[in-house]
Structures are given as structure tokens and as C-alpha cells.
Amino acid sequence: MSDTRKSHAELARRVAALEAERALTLRLAQTDSLTGLVNRGAFTTALCERLEAARASGGTVALFVVDLDRFKHLNDTLGHHAGDLLLAELGERLRNDCGPGEIAARLGGDEFAIISDATDVARRAQRLVQVVSQQQVIYGRQVSPGASVGVAVYPNDAAHASDLQRFADMALYRVKTAGGRRFSIFDAELRAETERRRTLEQELRRAIPAGEIEPWFQPVVDSLSGGVVGVEVLARWNHPEQGLLSPAAFVPMAEELGLIRAIDEAVFDAACRRAAAWVADGLIELVSCNVSPRDLLDPGFSRKLIGRLERTDLPATALTVEITETFLVQDMALGRRHIERLAAKGVKVALDDFGTGYSNLRALMNLPIQTVKLDRSLIADVGRDARVSKLVASMLHAARALGVSIVAEGVEDEAQALFLRSTGCDRMQGYFFARPMSGEAMDAQLRAARAEAPAERALRRASR
Ligand code: C2E
Ligand code: CA
Ligand code: CA
């Protein structure tokens, strides 16, 4: 062989090796390493290509999203390695179950997807539920994970990949909240919901600058005297057609859309302006505001809040900021920085919904938190269920030992109020005393109470 031919052959070999390497890298980049299925990135590309092809040929595409019903539980009880084995086995099953022209992918966690043509969608979905639900033996234990499947179809339900995915997810979510182990196909009911959401989203964006979201107030009473000592600020959306909407109808969406910050600021400013007069007139001592965990993730949150507060007439010492433990668990260091910065200005911090989550007493010990708000799910059974009563009594005891004051939320009847008072709960809030009300109504009530009982009030203030 001549030198030139030799170097040509050598070159060809090197090019081929590079090509093979590139193909392997490409495949690895498109493959989920645990299951060997197509990964999320490659899945999105494949779905777009299939839709493109269907558009050209007038065909149909069905997207099935599959989610295990109890994967987290399995992972927690059997360990992560067992969880991985289970997922790998499921990947194998899904691959074997796929017919020609179908693509199975792992989207992440315990979420899988199948792209298929859209013939007999219900039968295909039912088979997927069965295939995934079959028992497996892991570490000698029988496990049957159970699966839910959501389906959406091109072109009936959606024209684009992102909508198709969103709609299949909506169907999945619906069947999961109904108990799982079944499939659900996107339909008119879900379409109506997407429409409602879209409208609500547009309206919410408009409502904030239009000042339609306003603060309402719920009295917080002193357990011993029964007098109003403070208010909790609660957001209400004064919707032009639907009337008054409570936070459950718009706070989750606002958090998703990144609008919660604007809402919290608008509510805070308006509430401080209103309540500053009540504090100045000696009608109340405390104003408590809710903030979203999303707000707290901003490192500048506490600095900005103090800035806003200083532009109102409300004294810093009259303000309490209510935060939830969820946030503290997410980022303890940042939480500490916010809390300490607020405390340095005299602003108090309350831990909201205490007793529902981690109930982290250590957080109370290590952070300058002045107040705990006992969640209303605990209060509901207090004085009725002996075990809950004991639990609440011991929480009150622990809080007192730590020098933290307690507000019981959701007090709805006299039995609850009497029990809480007898166990030394400092303050209470709930329908038994008053429902949340508008600023005007709150103003009228506070001024009427003062006109009624000036002596009692003076006595109470003197005894502090
Ligand atoms: P939360 O902070 O736990 O507020 C107490 C909720 O319990 C309020 O519901 C209040 O109306 C309700 N409640 C008070 N007393 C009783 C009672 O005796 N029985 C019953 N069944 N319920 C009672 P609301 O106003 O619908 O607020 C729900 C949640 O929305 C609040 O829970 C809070 O987490 C959030 N939220 C309210 N306003 C704002 C806000 O301005 N910003 C943010 N980020 N979240 C807010
Ligand atoms: Ca609250
Ligand atoms: Ca609460």
C-alpha cells in the first residue's frame, strides 16, 4: 500500500471511530440511564416530530402520561435502591409493551410517557395501567405500585406539544386526586377548566394594578379579657362579576404565575395604612400579615418589607409577619437572615399553621420567633378528642417554656374557647369571635367596642 493510501485508510478509520463515538454520545444524551428509555429532552423532540408528521399526513397522535401512585411511599419504606430497581423494571416492561411506532420515555422521577397513534385510546390506556400495576418482587417483597394514566390526543384536544402535555397532565391529575389506579382522558370538562383558568389568569393580571385585591381583617382576641387585641390581614379579591373571592381561589394561581409578590405588597400597603389609625387610636396593638413562601425566597424580602413599612404610619413593633415552616425547611439560612433582620427593627415573626407540618420546636428555640399559630385542624377537635386536647396542652406547655406566645386559629365554639383559655393559650381567633370583615366593618366594630366599654379597656391596659 502506498503511503497516501495508507494515510487515507487511517483517516477513514478515525472518522468512523469519531462517528461511532458521536452516535453513542448522542444516544446517551437522549437516554435515561436508569431505565434505558428515551429521556425528557429526547421525548419532547420526538413528540414535536410526530406532531409535525401527523400534521402533514392528517394522522393522529395520542400522548399517555403515566405516574406511579405510591412511589414515594415505596421509596421511603424500602429505600432508594429498591426504588431504582422498581423503576428499571417498569422501564423494561413499558419497552416490551410498546408496539412498532410507539415511543416510551421516562420524564423524570416516577413519571413516564408513551407516544402512540390514537387508535382505541381507552383500551391502550387500560393496558398501561395493568402493565405498570403488575406485582414485582423487590428484595423478596411483593410490591404493586399502582399507576394512573392521563391521555390527550392530537388534533382533537390540542395542536401543539406543550398543550398536549399540559392536557394529558390535567387528566392525570384528575384521576390521581380521585384515588388513582385508573386512566382518564382529556374531555370537555377539563377543557372548560382550562378556559376558566385562562380567563382568571388574565383577570388577575388586571386586578392587581386595578386595586381589586384588598385587605380584610379578622380580630384576634385576648383569651382572658375576650377583648380584641389585634387583627390578621387576609386578602380578598373583589371580583367585578364573581363577587368576593377568598385566597384559595387565587393565591395558588398567583404563586404559579409569579404574581403573589405584587399581591402581598398591595395588601400589605393598604392594610398598614388602614390599621395604623387603629393602633394610633389605641384600639388594637397588633397587625399580622401573611407572606408567601415565594416572597421569602427573595434575599431582599426583609429589607424591602422594612422599607415599605417605614413609608406607612404603622410602628414596626405593632407588626407581625406570619411565615410557614415549609419555607424554613426549604432554606433555613435565608429564613434566619430575614427573621433576624425583621427582629432587629422590632417586627415580630409568627410561625403559621403550626401542628400541620414538621412542628419544629428547634426552629422556635434557635430563632427569634415570638408567636406560634396553632392550626385550626388541631383546634377543631380540642375539648372533644382527649388525645388532641392532650397534644395541644403539651404544645402550649412547650411554647410557654420557650417564651413563645400562642394564638389558636379557627376557634368555632365556646367549648374550644374555654378549653384553650384553661390551658393558658394567650390569644384566639375564629368564627366564634368574628369572621374576617372589610376594613370599614372592622373600623366600625373597633370603634363601637371602645364606645361601649371604655372602663374595661382602660383596666385591661393598666393591668399589662
Ligand atoms: P391562614 O393564614 O391560616 O388564615 C386563616 C384562614 O382561616 C382564613 O381563611 C380565615 O378566614 C379562616 N378562618 C378563620 N377563622 C376560622 C374559623 O373559625 N373556622 C374556619 N373554618 N376558618 C376560619 P382565608 O382568608 O380564606 O385564607 C386562607 C389562607 O390564604 C390563609 O390561611 C393564608 O395562608 C392565605 N392568605 C390569606 N391572605 C393572604 C395574603 O395576603 N398573602 C398570602 N401570601 N397569603 C394569604
Ligand atoms: Ca395566617
Ligand atoms: Ca394559619
Side-chain angles (χ1 to χ4, degrees):
M1 224 191 282
S2 78
D3 272 2
T4 346
R5 284 198 34 213
K6 225 154 78 191
S7 66
H8 263 148
E10 174 63 20
L11 198 62
R13 208 172 38 245
R14 276 173 44 197
V15 168
L18 275 174
E19 280 290 312
E21 199 176 305
R22 206 181 67 90
L24 181 67
T25 320
L26 203 65
R27 208 171 65 236
L28 286 179
Q30 295 175 339
T31 306
D32 169 56
S33 58
L34 184 62
T35 60
L37 297 180
V38 166
N39 66 18
R40 182 182 275 277
F43 159 80
T44 309
T45 314
L47 182 60
C48 291
E49 283 168 7
R50 289 294 280 271
L51 291 178
E52 206 46 57
R55 219 182 312 276
S57 67
T60 54
V61 178
L63 173 63
F64 302 82
V65 288
V66 182
D67 191 273
L68 299 189
D69 289 335
R70 280 161 37 91
F71 183 67
K72 193 184 167 323
H73 175 74
L74 285 172
N75 230 354
D76 290 347
T77 49
L78 295 179
H80 286 263
H81 188 58
D84 284 356
L85 287 176
L86 181 98
L87 293 174
E89 163 73 23
L90 286 182
E92 181 73 34
R93 280 191 205 166
L94 287 174
R95 194 174 24 246
N96 293 338
D97 188 57
C98 276
E102 289 190 328
I103 299 171
R106 176 170 175 231
L107 301 184
D110 58 344
E111 215 189 313
F112 296 86
I114 312 280
I115 305 171
S116 175
D117 59 12
T119 46
D120 209 347
V121 168
R123 168 111 57 89
R124 183 70 185 98
Q126 182 56 39
R127 202 173 81 216
L128 273 174
V129 173
Q130 277 162 0
V131 165
V132 177
S133 304
Q134 268 163 25
Q135 288 213 328
Q136 270 191 51
V137 178
I138 289 187
Y139 293 157
R141 281 181 57 174
Q142 299 263 10
V143 294
S144 44
S148 304
V149 173
V151 194
V153 175
Y154 168 90
N156 284 12
D157 301 330
H160 301 288
S162 58
D163 286 342
L164 203 62
Q165 256 177 289
R166 200 155 55 83
F167 294 170
D169 280 340
M170 283 178 79
L172 174 69
Y173 180 75
R174 176 172 63 185
V175 71
K176 274 191 99 73
T177 47
R181 290 189 172 260
R182 281 179 300 125
F183 69 89
S184 156
I185 301 176
F186 188 80
D187 56 14
E189 185 193 322
L190 288 178
R191 171 161 319 276
E193 193 184 316
T194 64
E195 239 97 276
R196 256 199 315 278
R197 275 184 65 94
R198 191 166 21 205
T199 318
L200 199 67
E201 182 183 323
Q202 284 163 358
E203 288 173 345
L204 188 58
R205 290 187 192 281
R206 182 192 46 73
I208 304 167
E212 283 174 20
I213 311 226
E214 52 183 45
W216 275 41
F217 302 88
Q218 185 177 34
V220 177
V221 306
D222 181 282
S223 297
L224 290 179
S225 72
V228 177
V229 287
V231 290
E232 176 174 0
V233 178
L234 295 161
R236 293 291 180 269
W237 179 0
N238 212 337
H239 192 282
E241 285 126 42
Q242 297 181 45
L244 212 61
L245 299 180
S246 43
F250 62 91
V251 164
M253 175 181 278
E255 287 184 329
E256 238 173 72
L257 298 173
L259 296 172
I260 190 66
R261 173 68 161 281
I263 291 181
D264 283 351
E265 289 180 355
V267 169
F268 179 83
D269 290 352
C272 287
R273 274 199 304 274
R274 173 70 88 167
W278 300 333
V279 173
D281 294 347
L283 299 170
I284 55 167
E285 291 155 22
L286 287 168
V287 181
S288 214
C289 283
N290 292 286
V291 296
S292 160
R294 299 269 169 131
D295 296 340
L296 290 157
L297 285 173
D298 170 9
F301 163 77
S302 38
R303 194 174 33 78
K304 290 177 201 160
L305 185 101
I306 291 165
R308 303 184 84 84
L309 176 66
E310 283 170 351
R311 285 194 290 277
T312 76
D313 292 326
L314 188 73
T317 48
L319 180 68
T320 300
V321 174
E322 299 192 4
I323 66 174
T324 55
E325 278 178 292
T326 339
F327 165 70
L328 284 183
V329 173
Q330 273 175 38
D331 194 339
M332 187 58 137
L334 184 57
R336 168 181 297 278
R337 239 185 306 148
H338 286 321
I339 294 172
E340 286 174 348
R341 220 184 267 154
L342 292 168
K345 285 283 172 182
V347 176
K348 296 178 195 58
V349 171
L351 218 46
D352 205 353
D353 303 341
F354 200 74
T356 49
Y358 304 85
S359 302
N360 191 343
L361 287 169
R362 180 159 300 151
L364 291 179
M365 242 165 2
N366 294 336
L367 293 169
I369 289 174
Q370 291 83 1
T371 307
V372 156
K373 301 198 76 173
L374 278 191
D375 192 70
R376 71 164 178 272
S377 57
L378 281 175
I379 305 306
D381 290 325
V382 116
R384 285 189 194 84
D385 182 328
R387 293 211 332 253
V388 175
S389 302
K390 253 198 199 133
L391 177 70
V392 168
S394 76
M395 283 175 136
L396 286 165
H397 186 77
R400 248 198 321 276
L402 293 169
V404 173
S405 89
I406 301 255
V407 180
E409 293 185 317
V411 179
E412 291 187 350
D413 61 40
E414 194 171 16
Q416 293 164 348
L418 289 175
F419 174 86
L420 289 162
R421 189 162 79 174
S422 71
T423 38
C425 173
D426 306 283
R427 281 167 280 151
M428 297 188 253
Q429 188 183 339
Y431 294 173
F432 178 59
F433 304 102
R435 294 193 174 235
M437 59 188 98
S438 69
E440 292 77 55
M442 191 74 243
D443 189 74
Q445 183 184 315
L446 288 172
R447 294 188 191 284
R450 173 158 71 181
E452 239 168 50
E456 246 172 62
R457 200 171 169 83
L459 214 61
R460 200 169 77 236
R461 293 182 73 81
S463 69
R464 283 249 158 70

